[in-house]
Each structure stands twice: as structure tokens, then as C-alpha cells.
Amino acid sequence: MGKNFIFFIILHVLLIVQITCDIVGVGSDGGIAEKNFLDEFEISDDRIFVSIASFLDSELTRTVADLIDKSTYGKRLDFGILIQEDLDNPQEFRWEGLPNFNVTRISYLESKGVGWARAKARELYGGQKYILQLDSHHRFARGWDFKLLKAFGRCLELGSKKPILSTYLGGFTGSTTFEIGSLPRKVIAERYYDTGKVRFVADIDYSRKTKDPIPAAIISAHFIFTYGTWFEEIPYDSYIYFDGEEDTLSVRSWTRGWDIYSPPENVIWHLYGREDQKKHWDVHPEWGQIKQFSEARVRQILKQESSATDFGIYGIGNDRSYEDYQEFSGLYFPKWHLGSRAINGDVTVPEINPPPAVTRPKCKYELVNDGEIVEVGIDIWHERHDDDVWTFRKLKEEENGDLILYDISREMYLMITETNVFWGETTRRDQVVEEWNLMDDIKSHSCE
């Protein structure tokens, strides 16, 4: 009887200790500091600004409804919504007019792309302490805001003064089919497109069953949670059409002292693909020209090609060097090279695939008809005529010195000889040039 009573007392005390630890937040996942951060948020007047730019998207209403329904701090949310739509057939948005909703509607034909739209949505920002930037097609876990604030507090405890939570989110289809599990996501780099932009994809990080945010190098524009001051320090570049948005945002933020983390748990899902929804490039008559200008701007900001333009606040920052970012991330943009950190999506491992230490001279061919063909990176060439730029990859160099270049987007080859440039068409299934056609004569050739 006495032993049972003592055992009961010990068990009771242990239970009280565990409950106390849970209340004050003691534990391996940040403990008291995390709990204090959440306590401070709950007793403060701090608010979260949700920024969404929607383009002809039928998912907008369902996204906002699920966001509010699944939130812990729903009364602390403010919204800035840009709706790009057919003004002759406006979509219903039942929250319009509420005090915490600032909604702007414009014609979809007025839009100039994603950078322009997100910049417009940011104009609705009212100085809230925290911001959440999203697309208009998401679903949410219960308590998503509580969990993001908890992870954000842990970033602060780990020593970051300016953390950003961002990653490529898990996907969903329809209204209820989600990717399995909530394991953390990482962003891996697959390859360079011919435009210079890196193709990023998401991967579930099975090796990181952790309660800590994971250091990362890439911002996903469809999910950003951070301080509102990020909006002020890193204004959106309205000239970025689509590709290169995340490449430039990541470099601009990191070199201005912002630290990027992937959340330890996936708490928001994103609708990828959306083949049934019209995109800007499906309906806007000038999308091609806007896109081409944007791609050149991205290459110039990332120093993949030379430019005399001072990009100022839209360029690379000075708090940390661009060279340090390349080494940290494994993304060697100027050399069109992917290191092992970028390929594996892990900035915490040693870099085992750095770019070649010795670079050979870059060459340029000036053409008689005022164009030029310029080597801009490792086996990457640009053909320029006036304001038009096309990107080619070097396929091979013949024994006689002739260069063979290939533009995958146009399925077109160039052959550069000592005196002339020829072009030839082919298909991806049959990469044999049947006939070479004279494109231009070479006026001069130099290497530097």
C-alpha cells in the first residue's frame, strides 16, 4: 500500500512537471524563447498583412476562406488583394468592404506580369509588423499562423535578426487531395534555362525530421513570411515578368542581411499547374516583349551579362557580398554553374562542385549587319540584334575550329566559321540539320 502510494505521488509530480514544461515552452525545439515570442505576440497589437495578387483565378475566394477558417489569430489578419480580372464580368469577393480588407480591382489587360502585380499589391500594405505573401490558390493546415510564428521565433533564437520563412510548398489538387505528410520542403536546382534563369523544384526533405527551421538560399515567391520591413527594404521589381523573380529576390534579400529558412513543417499547400486557368501569357497581347525585356534585366542584375545600368535598390545589396551568396548557395549565376549545395538543396553541407577556378577568355563576333554573337558564360552564347537577345548553348567545336551552338527554345542551330555565321533548323526528335543557310558575315572576332 505504501509503495503504491509513493509511486502514485511520483507519477503525479512527473505529470505536473511535464504540464508545466508544456505551458512555459521548455523543450528541445526552442523552449522558453519560443513561448515568450508567442506570448509577446498575443499580448501585443501586432498584426499580419496578407498580400495576394490574383490573375483571373477562380481559387481566390476558396483560398481566403480556408486561410481565415484555419487561422489561430484570424482577428489579427489584414489583407491586401489585387484582383486582375475581366471588369465586364467581375468575380464575387464577399469580404470586399470589410475594415481589414483592402481590395483593388484592375483589368487583366492592364497587368504587366507578376512583378508588376505583386508591386501593386504591396501598395496596399499598411505598416503591419509581419507580412505573408501568397499566390491566390492555396489550402492551409489548422493553426498555420501559430505554427509560422513559432518557427519565426525559433529563427530569432537561432541568432537571425532578419529571418524569412519561405520554400516551395507542398501541392494539392482539387479541394481535398494533398501531398502526403507535412515534412519540411527544400528547394533544389535542376539546371539553367537558356534564358539564364535556374529551374527550381521542390523536394520533401526526409532527412530533416526536425523542429528547427532549416537554413536555405532560395525564396519562393508564392510563400514568404517575415517582418513587414522586408517590403520596405526589398521593393518588388515591377519589370520582372515571371522567370527570375525568385532568383533576384533571393540574391537581393540575402545580400541585404536577410536570412532565408525553410519551415520545419509544411503548413500551407499550393495548387501547381492550373492548366484550366488562363495565365498572363495566354491573354495579354504584349507578353512576349515584356518577357524578353525582363529576362535581359534578370541576367544583368545577376551579372550573367554586362550592363551599364545602376539597378540601385533593385540590384545586389552591400551588407553581404554577392560572391559570398554564390558560395553559400551553390548558385554561381555569373558562370551559369550549379554547385552541389544548389543541386542538393542543402546549404549546410560542404561544397564539392565549385565552378572551375580558371576561366578561359570570352569571345565576341561582330556581324556585318550590326549584330553580334557574344560568349557570356561557360558554353553560353547570346546572339544580339538591336534590342533582341537569343540564348544559345555551345554543343561542340569542330576540328577545323567551327563552333556549333543550339537554341532549344527555337530549335535552331548556329554554325560559326572563320568568316560567316550560318543557321539551320531541326526538331528535338531529329537533331540533324538538313541545310545550313547563310545568316551573316563576320566583321571582326575578338577574345578577352
Side-chain angles (χ1 to χ4, degrees), residues 203-250:
D203 193 16
I204 298 175
D205 198 345
Y206 291 101
S207 65
R208 297 284 190 133
K209 296 181 180 179
T210 175
K211 295 183 179 180
D212 278 346
I214 303 165
I218 289 297
I219 289 174
S220 164
H222 70 233
F223 163 62
I224 300 170
F225 184 85
T226 187
Y227 285 131
T229 50
W230 182 74
F231 270 4
E232 300 163 5
E233 289 189 28
I234 316 293
Y236 239 83
D237 190 338
S238 60
Y239 291 107
I240 301 298
Y241 178 69
F242 184 76
D243 285 343
E245 173 191 17
E246 294 163 337
D247 314 52
T248 53
L249 273 182
S250 303

Side-chain angles (χ1 to χ4, degrees), residues 299-310:
R299 288 192 296 268
Q300 292 161 14
I301 290 173
L302 298 178
K303 302 186 184 301
Q304 292 175 305
E305 67 180 48
S306 60
S307 172
T309 303
D310 179 3

Side-chain angles (χ1 to χ4, degrees), residues 389-407:
V389 179
W390 294 276
T391 301
F392 290 81
R393 288 188 175 275
K394 176 185 171 184
L395 289 186
K396 60 181 177 178
E397 185 169 353
E398 305 283 13
E399 291 184 3
N400 62 2
D402 293 349
L403 294 177
I404 307 296
L405 312 180
Y406 181 52
D407 176 358

Side-chain angles (χ1 to χ4, degrees), residues 45-71:
D45 296 325
D46 295 336
R47 301 182 67 81
I48 301 171
F49 177 77
V50 181
S51 179
I52 298 176
S54 172
F55 186 86
L56 297 174
D57 194 350
S58 60
E59 281 290 328
L60 173 61
T61 295
R62 287 186 285 270
T63 294
V64 174
D66 198 55
L67 182 153
I68 295 172
D69 179 60
K70 302 289 180 55
S71 65

Side-chain angles (χ1 to χ4, degrees), residues 151-165:
F152 194 83
R154 180 60 176 151
C155 292
L156 297 174
E157 186 190 2
L158 292 171
S160 176
K161 292 181 171 56
K162 300 197 298 185
I164 296 172
L165 292 174

Side-chain angles (χ1 to χ4, degrees), residues 54 103 130 139 205 297 308 432:
S54 172
V103 179
Y130 302 99
R139 295 295 183 270
D205 198 345
R297 182 177 177 87
V432 177

